[in-house]
Amino acid sequence: MLQIRPTCEHCNKALPNHSTEAMICSFECTYCKTCASEIFKNVCPSCSGNFVERPIRPSKMLEKYPASTIEIFKPKALEKAKINTNIFINIKPSER
């Protein structure tokens, strides 16, 4: 079950359940679209995987399966992240 994390891990932008700006990798690292596409160039700085748009949990399911309220705010060292991005940017996610 997805945690539906409430904020971008890099810039701390609010990403509530209904946000269409939330992007996740296969480990649920959560970033806003701006950070995922413009800063990290679709390469997760934690696992080197790609990002996909996070689904929105239907409101009728939120009571039984609430979104996480735990914020994970761990801004990345941009120089280190850029090195990681440059290594993987031209490699298909399925081949990383």
Side-chain angles (χ1 to χ4, degrees):
M1 169 105 32
L2 291 176
Q3 292 178 1
I4 312 289
R5 296 176 184 170
T7 59
C8 174
E9 291 182 29
H10 183 67
C11 73
N12 215 32
K13 178 180 181 177
L15 298 170
N17 174 63
H18 62 275
S19 176
T20 58
E21 293 292 309
M23 304 294 287
I24 60 173
C25 73
S26 65
F27 289 96
E28 271 192 89
C29 298
T30 303
Y31 296 92
C32 65
K33 278 188 179 177
T34 301
C35 288
S37 62
E38 294 178 20
I39 295 175
F40 302 121
K41 310 289 186 201
N42 198 34
V43 177
C44 178
S46 299
C47 72
S48 303
N50 64 310
F51 292 107
V52 296
E53 191 171 310
R54 184 185 70 193
I56 295 170
R57 184 163 296 151
S59 57
K60 68 180 182 178
M61 299 303 286
L62 281 173
E63 187 174 319
K64 187 173 182 179
Y65 303 104
S68 176
T69 57
I70 299 169
E71 294 183 10
I72 298 175
F73 181 51
K74 296 191 283 187
K76 304 302 178 200
L78 294 181
E79 286 304 313
K80 185 176 178 183
K82 187 176 181 179
I83 292 168
N84 187 61
T85 295
N86 289 338
I87 292 169
F88 294 102
I89 196 165
N90 294 316
I91 301 172
K92 293 178 187 177
S94 61
E95 297 173 2
R96 292 182 190 165

